[in-house]
Amino acid sequence: MEKELVFGHQKPDTDAITAAMAFSYYQNQLGYETEAVALGEPNAETQYALKKFGMKAPRVIKTAANEVDKVMLVDHNEPQQSVSDIDKVTVTHLVDHHRIANFNTAQPLWVTCRPYGCVSTILTEMFQQKHIDIPANLAGMMLSAIISDTLLLNSPTTTDHDREAVKYLAKVAGVADYNKYGVAMLKAGADVDAKSDADIVDGDAKTFELGGTKMRIGQVNAVELDDVFKRQADLEKKMHELMDANGYQLFILIATNILNSDSELLVVGDNTDKVERAFGHKLDANKRMNLPGVVSRKKQVVPPLTDAFEG
Amino acid sequence: MEKELVFGHQKPDTDAITAAMAFSYYQNQLGYETEAVALGEPNAETQYALKKFGMKAPRVIKTAANEVDKVMLVDHNEPQQSVSDIDKVTVTHLVDHHRIANFNTAQPLWVTCRPYGCVSTILTEMFQQKHIDIPANLAGMMLSAIISDTLLLNSPTTTDHDREAVKYLAKVAGVADYNKYGVAMLKAGADVDAKSDADIVDGDAKTFELGGTKMRIGQVNAVELDDVFKRQADLEKKMHELMDANGYQLFILIATNILNSDSELLVVGDNTDKVERAFGHKLDANKRMNLPGVVSRKKQVVPPLTDAFEG
């Protein structure tokens, strides 16, 4: 059987990297020959988790077709979030928890999507169903991924499946107090002062095309939102640079306080009136909008934007 | 919880109708409130199976949004094969074994696709995983669906999963000799003389857009291919009528001999040279092309056409 590569989305977060490692391990146990790779270097949070559980980051690739004919995708399905030459390879497997958008295949394939908080939760259930043991260090990474995606089970994307998986994985990984570990891991990823302007605005950003508007939506976690906005002038400059270079018409940065689960948006570009309509709030004189209780780009930011831009 | 409708594709075959019945039953066992419906009346083969196992055909609907906000799709994902107002409802679940094409959602959802011969096989495994008993008459329908989709396990789409499911379902349904039952059921569906010209060319047809060409591909099963082609002049007339009415540029009818698993194509419309290139054969003076061993539209007809029209 020919080798396949397994990877998550560009600008990988902890789940994108971990889900690739876990699904590759799972498929190899079933007899496939796969290698987990990543479309970027691990961020500070992922590095903290990798160090904690003694695992190495996957190799970074920029293109796939130079190595393989077939790939397996985790944690994304939209082509513009994938490897740059995704149209030149065949996707044989997909495990995801996002909306399906512009994902077209020539052939039937293996897809498992669930509306859970984290792909690592879906994978935990797959391991359980096939009675495949999860190695302790991999379980630690999967625990970290769920804590990351759900902000320690506080995001509205969190399901009972995620809560069950966290308990199970903490036990397998030998993590006695997952709340304590989770706060330490989230804080490691939320050290805003250690991040460049580009990291803050674009490190976890995704591109969306809504109603003809090409927009970039970044998200940064912080312990104090002022750590982000004290640098607002520099961040705006970087956002405009990226807009000019990539043709984004709109750039939204979501700054999320991981301790109280509130967010503040910084919005630059065109059609900001539609952003205001999406959330029913006006931007203030600093182009910012406070959104208490909003932590999930996927569940609380993209859907109202979709309604406002496509409605 | 609000009620959801579950349905398969337009021009339903035995799997489209059965998979809706089976997935609705499965979801109701899990606590959802669903109703299986169909986008058309059952064909002769499905009627034979329904009668054999004492089940009623699902209610036929033309639109969904007048009844419900949410739906579950089985055995199709392409919007043009679905209910006419699919864009006005939310798809919450999908179980399928086809390529993914133009299936876009605003929200994450529950998807299980497997490259198996039949959706009823995927559903059989789902019942088994959740330890939900399949009632004997429903098992008989699911057995019939797999026999139908795989031409009694002879189609190249057949997987070991389908073979296992057939054995399991035959036992649950109390069908002692599934080969004997399967031939009788396929023959009931292959009574070409009992079918109208429209039934033959369009009864199981699907629309595809390949490389900008809108084409209709129908398939009819027969015990003798001559039963089809003795009516060729009338069939061509009907194909041209449907092309004019629906803007198809190309119409391909696959006539399949269910006893020896050979097919013959009848091709009318534009770009017939690309059809010839797809299969590496010339059409004869009667616009026909013999394709020994070809029985699967999905696996043996659409992929080479895709290469020829989009390559």
Side-chain angles (χ1 to χ4, degrees), chain A residues 94 109-114, chain B residues 23 26 73-75 93-98 100 109-116 119 122-123 125-126 129:
Chain A
L94 166 67
L109 76 163
W110 193 105
V111 182
T112 293
C113 294
R114 298 288 181 268
Chain B
F23 193 49
Y26 173 91
L73 302 188
V74 293
D75 201 26
H93 291 68
L94 166 67
V95 189
D96 200 3
H97 68 138
H98 295 92
I100 307 287
L109 77 164
W110 193 105
V111 182
T112 293
C113 294
R114 298 289 181 268
Y116 298 172
V119 172
I122 306 171
L123 292 169
E125 294 186 353
M126 285 168 47
Q129 274 172 0

PDB file of all heavy atoms in Angstrom, chain A residues 94 109-114, chain B residues 23 26 73-75 93-98 100 109-116 119 122-123 125-126 129:
ATOM      1  N   LEU A  94     -11.247  12.021   5.693  1.00  0.00           N
ATOM      2  CA  LEU A  94     -11.447  13.324   6.327  1.00  0.00           C
ATOM      3  C   LEU A  94     -12.076  13.106   7.697  1.00  0.00           C
ATOM      4  O   LEU A  94     -13.075  12.392   7.817  1.00  0.00           O
ATOM      5  CB  LEU A  94     -12.386  14.188   5.463  1.00  0.00           C
ATOM      6  CG  LEU A  94     -12.964  15.442   6.128  1.00  0.00           C
ATOM      7  CD1 LEU A  94     -11.872  16.475   6.409  1.00  0.00           C
ATOM      8  CD2 LEU A  94     -14.063  16.055   5.250  1.00  0.00           C
ATOM      9  N   LEU A 109     -15.241   8.733  -0.675  1.00  0.00           N
ATOM     10  CA  LEU A 109     -14.144   8.661   0.286  1.00  0.00           C
ATOM     11  C   LEU A 109     -14.688   8.376   1.680  1.00  0.00           C
ATOM     12  O   LEU A 109     -15.903   8.226   1.860  1.00  0.00           O
ATOM     13  CB  LEU A 109     -13.317   9.954   0.292  1.00  0.00           C
ATOM     14  CG  LEU A 109     -13.916  11.184   0.987  1.00  0.00           C
ATOM     15  CD1 LEU A 109     -12.813  12.198   1.246  1.00  0.00           C
ATOM     16  CD2 LEU A 109     -15.020  11.805   0.157  1.00  0.00           C
ATOM     17  N   TRP A 110     -13.778   8.301   2.647  1.00  0.00           N
ATOM     18  CA  TRP A 110     -14.086   7.988   4.028  1.00  0.00           C
ATOM     19  C   TRP A 110     -14.163   9.313   4.780  1.00  0.00           C
ATOM     20  O   TRP A 110     -13.160  10.028   4.851  1.00  0.00           O
ATOM     21  CB  TRP A 110     -12.949   7.114   4.549  1.00  0.00           C
ATOM     22  CG  TRP A 110     -13.159   6.409   5.842  1.00  0.00           C
ATOM     23  CD1 TRP A 110     -13.424   5.078   6.020  1.00  0.00           C
ATOM     24  CD2 TRP A 110     -13.070   6.971   7.153  1.00  0.00           C
ATOM     25  NE1 TRP A 110     -13.518   4.802   7.364  1.00  0.00           N
ATOM     26  CE2 TRP A 110     -13.311   5.942   8.077  1.00  0.00           C
ATOM     27  CE3 TRP A 110     -12.825   8.256   7.627  1.00  0.00           C
ATOM     28  CZ2 TRP A 110     -13.310   6.146   9.440  1.00  0.00           C
ATOM     29  CZ3 TRP A 110     -12.836   8.469   8.994  1.00  0.00           C
ATOM     30  CH2 TRP A 110     -13.079   7.414   9.882  1.00  0.00           C
ATOM     31  N   VAL A 111     -15.339   9.650   5.278  1.00  0.00           N
ATOM     32  CA  VAL A 111     -15.517  10.920   6.013  1.00  0.00           C
ATOM     33  C   VAL A 111     -16.196  10.656   7.338  1.00  0.00           C
ATOM     34  O   VAL A 111     -17.222   9.966   7.391  1.00  0.00           O
ATOM     35  CB  VAL A 111     -16.417  11.915   5.236  1.00  0.00           C
ATOM     36  CG1 VAL A 111     -16.540  13.233   6.014  1.00  0.00           C
ATOM     37  CG2 VAL A 111     -15.902  12.173   3.838  1.00  0.00           C
ATOM     38  N   THR A 112     -15.621  11.180   8.419  1.00  0.00           N
ATOM     39  CA  THR A 112     -16.326  11.226   9.694  1.00  0.00           C
ATOM     40  C   THR A 112     -16.251  12.648  10.225  1.00  0.00           C
ATOM     41  O   THR A 112     -15.178  13.120  10.604  1.00  0.00           O
ATOM     42  CB  THR A 112     -15.738  10.220  10.708  1.00  0.00           C
ATOM     43  OG1 THR A 112     -15.995   8.881  10.233  1.00  0.00           O
ATOM     44  CG2 THR A 112     -16.406  10.384  12.074  1.00  0.00           C
ATOM     45  N   CYS A 113     -17.382  13.337  10.191  1.00  0.00           N
ATOM     46  CA  CYS A 113     -17.478  14.670  10.791  1.00  0.00           C
ATOM     47  C   CYS A 113     -18.496  14.602  11.919  1.00  0.00           C
ATOM     48  O   CYS A 113     -19.522  13.940  11.803  1.00  0.00           O
ATOM     49  CB  CYS A 113     -17.949  15.699   9.763  1.00  0.00           C
ATOM     50  SG  CYS A 113     -16.800  15.989   8.415  1.00  0.00           S
ATOM     51  N   ARG A 114     -18.179  15.264  13.003  1.00  0.00           N
ATOM     52  CA  ARG A 114     -19.115  15.352  14.113  1.00  0.00           C
ATOM     53  C   ARG A 114     -19.106  16.796  14.612  1.00  0.00           C
ATOM     54  O   ARG A 114     -18.045  17.420  14.638  1.00  0.00           O
ATOM     55  CB  ARG A 114     -18.688  14.427  15.284  1.00  0.00           C
ATOM     56  CG  ARG A 114     -18.650  12.939  14.929  1.00  0.00           C
ATOM     57  CD  ARG A 114     -20.045  12.353  14.760  1.00  0.00           C
ATOM     58  NE  ARG A 114     -20.013  10.934  14.435  1.00  0.00           N
ATOM     59  CZ  ARG A 114     -20.015  10.428  13.183  1.00  0.00           C
ATOM     60  NH1 ARG A 114     -20.032  11.254  12.146  1.00  0.00           N
ATOM     61  NH2 ARG A 114     -20.003   9.133  12.988  1.00  0.00           N
TER      62      ARG A 114
ATOM     63  N   PHE B  23     -32.148   4.789   8.484  1.00  0.00           N
ATOM     64  CA  PHE B  23     -31.499   5.843   9.282  1.00  0.00           C
ATOM     65  C   PHE B  23     -32.516   6.543  10.178  1.00  0.00           C
ATOM     66  O   PHE B  23     -32.204   6.922  11.304  1.00  0.00           O
ATOM     67  CB  PHE B  23     -30.783   6.841   8.368  1.00  0.00           C
ATOM     68  CG  PHE B  23     -29.833   7.764   9.086  1.00  0.00           C
ATOM     69  CD1 PHE B  23     -28.893   7.264   9.983  1.00  0.00           C
ATOM     70  CD2 PHE B  23     -29.858   9.130   8.880  1.00  0.00           C
ATOM     71  CE1 PHE B  23     -28.004   8.104  10.647  1.00  0.00           C
ATOM     72  CE2 PHE B  23     -28.977   9.985   9.536  1.00  0.00           C
ATOM     73  CZ  PHE B  23     -28.050   9.469  10.422  1.00  0.00           C
ATOM     74  N   TYR B  26     -33.026   4.283  13.095  1.00  0.00           N
ATOM     75  CA  TYR B  26     -31.838   4.364  13.951  1.00  0.00           C
ATOM     76  C   TYR B  26     -31.863   5.639  14.792  1.00  0.00           C
ATOM     77  O   TYR B  26     -31.657   5.603  16.015  1.00  0.00           O
ATOM     78  CB  TYR B  26     -30.609   4.332  13.038  1.00  0.00           C
ATOM     79  CG  TYR B  26     -29.262   4.559  13.693  1.00  0.00           C
ATOM     80  CD1 TYR B  26     -28.516   3.492  14.173  1.00  0.00           C
ATOM     81  CD2 TYR B  26     -28.721   5.842  13.790  1.00  0.00           C
ATOM     82  CE1 TYR B  26     -27.266   3.694  14.741  1.00  0.00           C
ATOM     83  CE2 TYR B  26     -27.475   6.054  14.357  1.00  0.00           C
ATOM     84  CZ  TYR B  26     -26.747   4.974  14.840  1.00  0.00           C
ATOM     85  OH  TYR B  26     -25.509   5.186  15.389  1.00  0.00           O
ATOM     86  N   LEU B  73     -29.830  13.747   5.268  1.00  0.00           N
ATOM     87  CA  LEU B  73     -29.701  13.199   3.918  1.00  0.00           C
ATOM     88  C   LEU B  73     -29.042  11.824   3.955  1.00  0.00           C
ATOM     89  O   LEU B  73     -28.094  11.606   4.718  1.00  0.00           O
ATOM     90  CB  LEU B  73     -28.845  14.113   3.036  1.00  0.00           C
ATOM     91  CG  LEU B  73     -29.291  15.563   2.860  1.00  0.00           C
ATOM     92  CD1 LEU B  73     -28.415  16.248   1.804  1.00  0.00           C
ATOM     93  CD2 LEU B  73     -30.751  15.654   2.474  1.00  0.00           C
ATOM     94  N   VAL B  74     -29.541  10.927   3.130  1.00  0.00           N
ATOM     95  CA  VAL B  74     -28.870   9.644   2.917  1.00  0.00           C
ATOM     96  C   VAL B  74     -28.670   9.437   1.420  1.00  0.00           C
ATOM     97  O   VAL B  74     -29.463   9.916   0.609  1.00  0.00           O
ATOM     98  CB  VAL B  74     -29.672   8.453   3.506  1.00  0.00           C
ATOM     99  CG1 VAL B  74     -29.728   8.518   5.034  1.00  0.00           C
ATOM    100  CG2 VAL B  74     -31.075   8.388   2.926  1.00  0.00           C
ATOM    101  N   ASP B  75     -27.594   8.739   1.065  1.00  0.00           N
ATOM    102  CA  ASP B  75     -27.352   8.261  -0.301  1.00  0.00           C
ATOM    103  C   ASP B  75     -27.237   9.375  -1.336  1.00  0.00           C
ATOM    104  O   ASP B  75     -27.347   9.093  -2.536  1.00  0.00           O
ATOM    105  CB  ASP B  75     -28.453   7.272  -0.706  1.00  0.00           C
ATOM    106  CG  ASP B  75     -28.024   6.371  -1.854  1.00  0.00           C
ATOM    107  OD1 ASP B  75     -26.799   6.154  -2.004  1.00  0.00           O
ATOM    108  OD2 ASP B  75     -28.891   5.890  -2.604  1.00  0.00           O
ATOM    109  N   HIS B  93     -27.478  15.878   9.329  1.00  0.00           N
ATOM    110  CA  HIS B  93     -26.806  14.576   9.234  1.00  0.00           C
ATOM    111  C   HIS B  93     -26.702  14.166   7.761  1.00  0.00           C
ATOM    112  O   HIS B  93     -27.607  14.464   6.974  1.00  0.00           O
ATOM    113  CB  HIS B  93     -27.609  13.481   9.965  1.00  0.00           C
ATOM    114  CG  HIS B  93     -27.635  13.622  11.453  1.00  0.00           C
ATOM    115  ND1 HIS B  93     -28.290  14.645  12.104  1.00  0.00           N
ATOM    116  CD2 HIS B  93     -27.086  12.857  12.431  1.00  0.00           C
ATOM    117  CE1 HIS B  93     -28.150  14.508  13.411  1.00  0.00           C
ATOM    118  NE2 HIS B  93     -27.425  13.430  13.646  1.00  0.00           N
ATOM    119  N   LEU B  94     -25.634  13.463   7.449  1.00  0.00           N
ATOM    120  CA  LEU B  94     -25.452  12.911   6.105  1.00  0.00           C
ATOM    121  C   LEU B  94     -24.803  11.538   6.232  1.00  0.00           C
ATOM    122  O   LEU B  94     -23.794  11.391   6.922  1.00  0.00           O
ATOM    123  CB  LEU B  94     -24.542  13.834   5.268  1.00  0.00           C
ATOM    124  CG  LEU B  94     -23.976  13.255   3.964  1.00  0.00           C
ATOM    125  CD1 LEU B  94     -25.092  13.021   2.941  1.00  0.00           C
ATOM    126  CD2 LEU B  94     -22.907  14.182   3.377  1.00  0.00           C
ATOM    127  N   VAL B  95     -25.403  10.545   5.572  1.00  0.00           N
ATOM    128  CA  VAL B  95     -24.767   9.227   5.448  1.00  0.00           C
ATOM    129  C   VAL B  95     -24.738   8.911   3.964  1.00  0.00           C
ATOM    130  O   VAL B  95     -25.795   8.863   3.317  1.00  0.00           O
ATOM    131  CB  VAL B  95     -25.529   8.113   6.195  1.00  0.00           C
ATOM    132  CG1 VAL B  95     -24.699   6.823   6.209  1.00  0.00           C
ATOM    133  CG2 VAL B  95     -25.874   8.539   7.610  1.00  0.00           C
ATOM    134  N   ASP B  96     -23.547   8.685   3.402  1.00  0.00           N
ATOM    135  CA  ASP B  96     -23.472   8.585   1.947  1.00  0.00           C
ATOM    136  C   ASP B  96     -22.286   7.715   1.534  1.00  0.00           C
ATOM    137  O   ASP B  96     -21.384   7.431   2.330  1.00  0.00           O
ATOM    138  CB  ASP B  96     -23.343   9.986   1.338  1.00  0.00           C
ATOM    139  CG  ASP B  96     -23.738  10.015  -0.135  1.00  0.00           C
ATOM    140  OD1 ASP B  96     -24.155   8.973  -0.673  1.00  0.00           O
ATOM    141  OD2 ASP B  96     -23.626  11.101  -0.744  1.00  0.00           O
ATOM    142  N   HIS B  97     -22.326   7.310   0.265  1.00  0.00           N
ATOM    143  CA  HIS B  97     -21.193   6.553  -0.302  1.00  0.00           C
ATOM    144  C   HIS B  97     -20.829   7.088  -1.688  1.00  0.00           C
ATOM    145  O   HIS B  97     -20.264   6.355  -2.503  1.00  0.00           O
ATOM    146  CB  HIS B  97     -21.506   5.050  -0.336  1.00  0.00           C
ATOM    147  CG  HIS B  97     -22.582   4.656  -1.308  1.00  0.00           C
ATOM    148  ND1 HIS B  97     -22.489   3.535  -2.104  1.00  0.00           N
ATOM    149  CD2 HIS B  97     -23.767   5.224  -1.599  1.00  0.00           C
ATOM    150  CE1 HIS B  97     -23.586   3.423  -2.838  1.00  0.00           C
ATOM    151  NE2 HIS B  97     -24.378   4.427  -2.557  1.00  0.00           N
ATOM    152  N   HIS B  98     -21.175   8.349  -1.950  1.00  0.00           N
ATOM    153  CA  HIS B  98     -20.817   8.983  -3.218  1.00  0.00           C
ATOM    154  C   HIS B  98     -19.703  10.010  -3.003  1.00  0.00           C
ATOM    155  O   HIS B  98     -19.403  10.388  -1.877  1.00  0.00           O
ATOM    156  CB  HIS B  98     -22.032   9.693  -3.809  1.00  0.00           C
ATOM    157  CG  HIS B  98     -23.139   8.756  -4.196  1.00  0.00           C
ATOM    158  ND1 HIS B  98     -24.153   8.429  -3.325  1.00  0.00           N
ATOM    159  CD2 HIS B  98     -23.380   8.082  -5.337  1.00  0.00           C
ATOM    160  CE1 HIS B  98     -24.980   7.578  -3.935  1.00  0.00           C
ATOM    161  NE2 HIS B  98     -24.536   7.354  -5.148  1.00  0.00           N
ATOM    162  N   ILE B 100     -18.191  13.744  -2.802  1.00  0.00           N
ATOM    163  CA  ILE B 100     -18.760  14.968  -2.241  1.00  0.00           C
ATOM    164  C   ILE B 100     -18.684  16.045  -3.322  1.00  0.00           C
ATOM    165  O   ILE B 100     -17.599  16.304  -3.858  1.00  0.00           O
ATOM    166  CB  ILE B 100     -17.956  15.453  -1.012  1.00  0.00           C
ATOM    167  CG1 ILE B 100     -17.794  14.331   0.022  1.00  0.00           C
ATOM    168  CG2 ILE B 100     -18.610  16.697  -0.386  1.00  0.00           C
ATOM    169  CD1 ILE B 100     -19.011  13.980   0.787  1.00  0.00           C
ATOM    170  N   LEU B 109     -21.697  19.690  11.043  1.00  0.00           N
ATOM    171  CA  LEU B 109     -22.780  18.707  11.071  1.00  0.00           C
ATOM    172  C   LEU B 109     -22.204  17.313  11.268  1.00  0.00           C
ATOM    173  O   LEU B 109     -20.997  17.142  11.389  1.00  0.00           O
ATOM    174  CB  LEU B 109     -23.612  18.778   9.797  1.00  0.00           C
ATOM    175  CG  LEU B 109     -23.037  18.157   8.513  1.00  0.00           C
ATOM    176  CD1 LEU B 109     -24.150  17.975   7.493  1.00  0.00           C
ATOM    177  CD2 LEU B 109     -21.942  19.033   7.934  1.00  0.00           C
ATOM    178  N   TRP B 110     -23.105  16.344  11.302  1.00  0.00           N
ATOM    179  CA  TRP B 110     -22.766  14.949  11.529  1.00  0.00           C
ATOM    180  C   TRP B 110     -22.687  14.276  10.161  1.00  0.00           C
ATOM    181  O   TRP B 110     -23.692  14.209   9.453  1.00  0.00           O
ATOM    182  CB  TRP B 110     -23.885  14.364  12.378  1.00  0.00           C
ATOM    183  CG  TRP B 110     -23.643  13.026  13.009  1.00  0.00           C
ATOM    184  CD1 TRP B 110     -23.365  12.758  14.315  1.00  0.00           C
ATOM    185  CD2 TRP B 110     -23.727  11.753  12.364  1.00  0.00           C
ATOM    186  NE1 TRP B 110     -23.249  11.410  14.504  1.00  0.00           N
ATOM    187  CE2 TRP B 110     -23.463  10.765  13.336  1.00  0.00           C
ATOM    188  CE3 TRP B 110     -23.978  11.351  11.054  1.00  0.00           C
ATOM    189  CZ2 TRP B 110     -23.464   9.400  13.040  1.00  0.00           C
ATOM    190  CZ3 TRP B 110     -23.965   9.992  10.752  1.00  0.00           C
ATOM    191  CH2 TRP B 110     -23.711   9.047  11.756  1.00  0.00           C
ATOM    192  N   VAL B 111     -21.512  13.797   9.768  1.00  0.00           N
ATOM    193  CA  VAL B 111     -21.350  13.144   8.460  1.00  0.00           C
ATOM    194  C   VAL B 111     -20.646  11.809   8.630  1.00  0.00           C
ATOM    195  O   VAL B 111     -19.614  11.736   9.303  1.00  0.00           O
ATOM    196  CB  VAL B 111     -20.485  13.983   7.489  1.00  0.00           C
ATOM    197  CG1 VAL B 111     -20.371  13.293   6.128  1.00  0.00           C
ATOM    198  CG2 VAL B 111     -21.030  15.385   7.326  1.00  0.00           C
ATOM    199  N   THR B 112     -21.214  10.768   8.046  1.00  0.00           N
ATOM    200  CA  THR B 112     -20.488   9.508   7.933  1.00  0.00           C
ATOM    201  C   THR B 112     -20.579   9.048   6.477  1.00  0.00           C
ATOM    202  O   THR B 112     -21.655   8.692   5.999  1.00  0.00           O
ATOM    203  CB  THR B 112     -21.045   8.431   8.877  1.00  0.00           C
ATOM    204  OG1 THR B 112     -20.792   8.830  10.237  1.00  0.00           O
ATOM    205  CG2 THR B 112     -20.364   7.084   8.629  1.00  0.00           C
ATOM    206  N   CYS B 113     -19.470   9.132   5.781  1.00  0.00           N
ATOM    207  CA  CYS B 113     -19.381   8.616   4.410  1.00  0.00           C
ATOM    208  C   CYS B 113     -18.348   7.508   4.391  1.00  0.00           C
ATOM    209  O   CYS B 113     -17.311   7.606   5.051  1.00  0.00           O
ATOM    210  CB  CYS B 113     -18.941   9.704   3.434  1.00  0.00           C
ATOM    211  SG  CYS B 113     -20.122  11.038   3.233  1.00  0.00           S
ATOM    212  N   ARG B 114     -18.661   6.460   3.684  1.00  0.00           N
ATOM    213  CA  ARG B 114     -17.711   5.366   3.514  1.00  0.00           C
ATOM    214  C   ARG B 114     -17.724   4.959   2.042  1.00  0.00           C
ATOM    215  O   ARG B 114     -18.786   4.953   1.425  1.00  0.00           O
ATOM    216  CB  ARG B 114     -18.105   4.142   4.366  1.00  0.00           C
ATOM    217  CG  ARG B 114     -18.123   4.408   5.880  1.00  0.00           C
ATOM    218  CD  ARG B 114     -16.731   4.575   6.451  1.00  0.00           C
ATOM    219  NE  ARG B 114     -16.746   4.810   7.890  1.00  0.00           N
ATOM    220  CZ  ARG B 114     -16.765   6.018   8.465  1.00  0.00           C
ATOM    221  NH1 ARG B 114     -16.781   7.111   7.719  1.00  0.00           N
ATOM    222  NH2 ARG B 114     -16.765   6.140   9.770  1.00  0.00           N
ATOM    223  N   PRO B 115     -16.569   4.563   1.488  1.00  0.00           N
ATOM    224  CA  PRO B 115     -16.540   4.156   0.079  1.00  0.00           C
ATOM    225  C   PRO B 115     -16.983   2.702  -0.084  1.00  0.00           C
ATOM    226  O   PRO B 115     -16.270   1.884  -0.640  1.00  0.00           O
ATOM    227  CB  PRO B 115     -15.065   4.358  -0.305  1.00  0.00           C
ATOM    228  CG  PRO B 115     -14.320   4.180   0.978  1.00  0.00           C
ATOM    229  CD  PRO B 115     -15.231   4.626   2.092  1.00  0.00           C
ATOM    230  N   TYR B 116     -18.160   2.400   0.428  1.00  0.00           N
ATOM    231  CA  TYR B 116     -18.725   1.050   0.347  1.00  0.00           C
ATOM    232  C   TYR B 116     -19.678   0.968  -0.848  1.00  0.00           C
ATOM    233  O   TYR B 116     -20.032   1.986  -1.445  1.00  0.00           O
ATOM    234  CB  TYR B 116     -19.523   0.715   1.609  1.00  0.00           C
ATOM    235  CG  TYR B 116     -18.767   0.690   2.916  1.00  0.00           C
ATOM    236  CD1 TYR B 116     -19.459   0.552   4.112  1.00  0.00           C
ATOM    237  CD2 TYR B 116     -17.376   0.804   2.975  1.00  0.00           C
ATOM    238  CE1 TYR B 116     -18.801   0.519   5.333  1.00  0.00           C
ATOM    239  CE2 TYR B 116     -16.720   0.771   4.202  1.00  0.00           C
ATOM    240  CZ  TYR B 116     -17.430   0.635   5.376  1.00  0.00           C
ATOM    241  OH  TYR B 116     -16.793   0.616   6.586  1.00  0.00           O
ATOM    242  N   VAL B 119     -25.230   2.420   0.974  1.00  0.00           N
ATOM    243  CA  VAL B 119     -25.419   3.121   2.256  1.00  0.00           C
ATOM    244  C   VAL B 119     -25.976   2.166   3.311  1.00  0.00           C
ATOM    245  O   VAL B 119     -25.647   2.268   4.497  1.00  0.00           O
ATOM    246  CB  VAL B 119     -26.339   4.348   2.087  1.00  0.00           C
ATOM    247  CG1 VAL B 119     -26.686   4.957   3.440  1.00  0.00           C
ATOM    248  CG2 VAL B 119     -25.666   5.396   1.213  1.00  0.00           C
ATOM    249  N   ILE B 122     -23.249   0.799   5.362  1.00  0.00           N
ATOM    250  CA  ILE B 122     -22.755   1.739   6.378  1.00  0.00           C
ATOM    251  C   ILE B 122     -23.701   1.727   7.579  1.00  0.00           C
ATOM    252  O   ILE B 122     -23.275   1.672   8.736  1.00  0.00           O
ATOM    253  CB  ILE B 122     -22.667   3.169   5.796  1.00  0.00           C
ATOM    254  CG1 ILE B 122     -21.822   3.198   4.513  1.00  0.00           C
ATOM    255  CG2 ILE B 122     -22.105   4.142   6.840  1.00  0.00           C
ATOM    256  CD1 ILE B 122     -21.877   4.540   3.771  1.00  0.00           C
ATOM    257  N   LEU B 123     -25.003   1.737   7.297  1.00  0.00           N
ATOM    258  CA  LEU B 123     -25.992   1.773   8.372  1.00  0.00           C
ATOM    259  C   LEU B 123     -25.988   0.474   9.180  1.00  0.00           C
ATOM    260  O   LEU B 123     -26.148   0.493  10.397  1.00  0.00           O
ATOM    261  CB  LEU B 123     -27.385   2.033   7.788  1.00  0.00           C
ATOM    262  CG  LEU B 123     -27.569   3.445   7.201  1.00  0.00           C
ATOM    263  CD1 LEU B 123     -28.868   3.539   6.408  1.00  0.00           C
ATOM    264  CD2 LEU B 123     -27.537   4.506   8.304  1.00  0.00           C
ATOM    265  N   GLU B 125     -23.426  -1.305   9.882  1.00  0.00           N
ATOM    266  CA  GLU B 125     -22.311  -1.192  10.836  1.00  0.00           C
ATOM    267  C   GLU B 125     -22.640  -0.216  11.962  1.00  0.00           C
ATOM    268  O   GLU B 125     -22.226  -0.420  13.110  1.00  0.00           O
ATOM    269  CB  GLU B 125     -21.034  -0.769  10.092  1.00  0.00           C
ATOM    270  CG  GLU B 125     -20.564  -1.847   9.112  1.00  0.00           C
ATOM    271  CD  GLU B 125     -19.215  -1.528   8.467  1.00  0.00           C
ATOM    272  OE1 GLU B 125     -18.691  -0.417   8.671  1.00  0.00           O
ATOM    273  OE2 GLU B 125     -18.695  -2.421   7.759  1.00  0.00           O
ATOM    274  N   MET B 126     -23.389   0.850  11.649  1.00  0.00           N
ATOM    275  CA  MET B 126     -23.773   1.812  12.700  1.00  0.00           C
ATOM    276  C   MET B 126     -24.708   1.159  13.720  1.00  0.00           C
ATOM    277  O   MET B 126     -24.576   1.385  14.926  1.00  0.00           O
ATOM    278  CB  MET B 126     -24.427   3.041  12.069  1.00  0.00           C
ATOM    279  CG  MET B 126     -23.411   3.961  11.387  1.00  0.00           C
ATOM    280  SD  MET B 126     -24.179   5.230  10.341  1.00  0.00           S
ATOM    281  CE  MET B 126     -25.447   5.802  11.451  1.00  0.00           C
ATOM    282  N   GLN B 129     -22.521  -1.091  15.862  1.00  0.00           N
ATOM    283  CA  GLN B 129     -21.662  -0.372  16.809  1.00  0.00           C
ATOM    284  C   GLN B 129     -22.438   0.105  18.034  1.00  0.00           C
ATOM    285  O   GLN B 129     -21.914   0.132  19.143  1.00  0.00           O
ATOM    286  CB  GLN B 129     -21.001   0.826  16.129  1.00  0.00           C
ATOM    287  CG  GLN B 129     -19.707   0.451  15.416  1.00  0.00           C
ATOM    288  CD  GLN B 129     -19.160   1.598  14.592  1.00  0.00           C
ATOM    289  OE1 GLN B 129     -19.730   2.673  14.551  1.00  0.00           O
ATOM    290  NE2 GLN B 129     -18.056   1.354  13.926  1.00  0.00           N
TER     291      GLN B 129
END
